[in-house]
Amino acid sequence: MRSSDFVAVAAERWPERTALMFDDRRWTFREFEASSARQAAALSRRGVKAGDLVGLLMPNRPEWLFSFYALSRIGAVAVPINPAYTTAEVTSIVDVVGLRALVLDPRLEAVVDAERIELVGTEVLVVGAPDPLERAPGDEAPGAGGSDSEPAVIFFSSGSTGNPKGIVHSHRNLGMIAEAVRTNWGITPEDSLLVAMPLAFVYASVVECLTAISAGATIVLHDRLRPEEALARIAAGEITVAMGVPSMYRMLLEAAGSAPPRGRLRLCTTSGDTVPAALDREFERLFGCPLFDLYGLTEVPHIVAHTPGPDVRSRPLSCGRPLPGIAAKVADDRGQEVAPGELGELVVQVPWAFLHYYRNPEATEAVVRGGWFWTGDLVRRDADGYIFMVERKKELIKRSGFNVLPGEVEEVIHRVPGVAEVAVVGVPDELHGQRVKAFVVLDTGRVPSRDEILAACRERLAKYKIPEDLEFIRELPKGPTGKIKKKLLREGGASAR
């Protein structure tokens, strides 16, 4: 099945159920399907056909979703672009793939100004402009044929390095991901999913939205997280499931104060960064809903996760076990599996793994070896198969021959009263190769001293793990999904307090 087929099936099974909520508007599944069909017709009129690559450069809004499923209906390939990207970053993506058309939010027209970005041969379609994409009912394009093994979408995990990689997924992959999420988390038509992460990323557009559509559940879409609005909807029983990153749940906690609403909230999942133990405990205490960590990458979304059950909270800092149908091992650099409890790289075989990096066979071969995908993430696995995320392999700090795990140092500093957030990185050092540096964001209340933080480190960490540099900053640099940009910190991109 194509993604658009899931919309058509949902419209047939649950025509009058609410499919989408955005601000004060609602769309039933029947209306959602009709809007997608009209956009498919409009795109076809503008010359978009099966196999064409079409960019989506919009913040979260209903038209993003309508366009995504319209492209599936035509058989074109969607190329979601992060709306937070600069002109240079958008250019880097356009240079990699080329685009037949670009569906653009009018607020982002300056980013693709013709004088600054090369879009020769690309039809720019501005949402809401004269001759809008969405036209009168009945003006529909026929659905495309073709195999569900064909490319459906090219996600970009990063466009800021000058060498972005396009991650190609098929229609079949997207459907299998949605089915795995729906089954594992038990998503039903009674659920409503808060979607506040950028739709340009697989987490929001597939793991959340396509899952919701396939299950007949409701998408509660935010253009960005609005904590007060989210809390009001939770209190009204309009949100039962939230999927986000640790910073999102921290924002909800701060906005809720000491009396957060309970409503019908039953499942909160987090990914992207390690969940601090204090955040995990406080959120469950106040909201009555634990944070379930899950693990996946754009190349292999949703592959390790908790399955709700009575024993899941016995390992609160684990991201769970590999889902059914997934083979996983924790391996050393030679590919040999390490013993339980030992550190190694997570290596997996996944039915819905990405097809390849777009026009980049060298990069594909570097991570796919012998049918196994090498994630680049260092983990530990216990005797029962639970995976504990430790660190990105490239973020491991090597000081005088010793390995320092940033997450281990961060957890110690997190425990110091008055520390709101912390990020630990390795910076160049002529003598030791690298030295440990901690960036600390303080709470608005109690303010710990530098000596107090370092004393806590000396008490709990070996000498070589103790930060030699400690910098207080106003905020940690984060990407659109809320993940900390440690590369900027390593390069000195933080602003001092």
Side-chain angles (χ1 to χ4, degrees), residues 31 92 186 204 285 306 337 378 414 440 494:
E31 292 167 334
S92 69
R285 184 179 73 83
H306 283 292
E337 191 159 10
L378 297 175
H414 259 300
V440 178

Side-chain angles (χ1 to χ4, degrees), residues 290-315:
L291 296 179
F292 292 123
D293 201 4
L294 64 90
Y295 174 86
L297 302 170
T298 305
E299 292 89 340
V300 285
H302 194 68
I303 58 172
V304 175
H306 283 292
T307 299
D311 68 332
V312 75
R313 298 309 290 164
S314 65
R315 297 171 176 84

